[in-house]
Amino acid sequence: EEESQTSFMQLLRTKTEARLMEKSLAEKDETFREKMKVIADRWRALHAKRVQLKDHVEKSGRIIQENEEVRILALKIDSKEREENMQKESELLRAKKKLEALRKEHWKLCKKVQKYSVFKKYLEDVVKISQFEDIPEVTSRYKLLVRTHKDLLQSQQGHKELTEQDKLLLEEYRAEKEAEMLQYKRELVQLKLRFDQAQRDILLWETRWADIQNKTSKKTRKFWSLKLAIHDLFQ
């Protein structure tokens, strides 16, 4: 009876502990559910903020990109205008230099006209005492003689250059052929050495082949002798 009462009391304590544990677990489960609900609410709020932030970043990125494109376009336009202005200034400077050079050339030509006016008088006197009709005919004849003399000099120089070039080409051709002959001789020597080595290799391999055939013949005879001996023993 005492043991039954003790077991009953233990059972009651166990049930009480189980109810307390269930109650504690229920409370913890309720607390966990509430925490999960709070976390879910925070997660949804965070996701919504993230979407808003992403939209804001995209809008800001587009605005920044548009501003950057406008800034780049303005810089390009400004750079193009500066380049055009520099080009115009450069052209103006070149034009001024060219005008100054033309003025200097005009002044030099005027000086030359004054300097060579005496030769005009000389040519007029030449026309009077010669067969020429006017000064242009004299100058054209002089230009013709100068051009003929120049052509003659060029022809002589060209003939001389061709002769020297022919000599150089002949020397190059001779040197090239000598080099080719030397190369052919070297290749011929190499081929002869290879041919001699091939002949020696042929003799060596023929000797080895004969040895292999002799060894094979001996082994074949030995094999048949062993085979006959084994057959005799078996009999």
Side-chain angles (χ1 to χ4, degrees), residues 147-188:
R147 189 165 53 250
T148 304
H149 180 68
K150 185 177 179 181
D151 293 338
L152 181 61
L153 291 177
Q154 288 181 351
S155 177
Q156 292 177 353
Q157 184 66 25
H159 180 71
K160 183 178 180 181
E161 290 178 355
L162 287 175
T163 303
E164 293 178 355
Q165 186 176 3
D166 291 338
K167 289 181 180 179
L168 291 175
L169 290 175
L170 180 61
E171 291 295 331
E172 290 179 358
Y173 180 76
R174 183 180 299 170
E176 182 180 355
K177 291 304 176 182
E178 289 178 354
E180 289 181 357
M181 290 178 63
L182 182 60
Q183 183 65 27
Y184 290 150
K185 288 180 180 179
R186 291 175 181 173
E187 291 179 357
L188 182 62

Side-chain angles (χ1 to χ4, degrees), residues 61-73:
R62 287 195 296 270
I63 293 172
I64 291 172
Q65 185 176 2
E66 291 175 357
N67 293 333
E68 185 67 19
E69 290 177 355
V70 171
R71 189 179 70 83
I72 292 172
L73 182 60

Side-chain angles (χ1 to χ4, degrees), residues 196-210:
D196 294 338
Q197 184 63 37
Q199 291 292 332
R200 289 192 294 270
D201 291 341
I202 289 171
L203 292 175
L204 178 61
W205 285 108
E206 286 179 350
T207 304
R208 290 184 179 179
W209 176 247

Side-chain angles (χ1 to χ4, degrees), residues 4-34:
S4 298
Q5 288 178 358
T6 302
S7 298
F8 180 71
M9 292 300 293
Q10 289 179 353
L11 180 61
L12 288 176
R13 282 196 299 271
T14 303
K15 286 184 177 180
T16 302
E17 291 176 355
R19 283 195 298 271
L20 291 174
M21 189 176 290
E22 287 178 355
K23 185 179 180 180
S24 177
L25 288 173
E27 291 176 355
K28 289 181 178 180
D29 185 63
E30 184 65 24
T31 303
F32 178 73
R33 291 178 183 275
E34 289 177 358

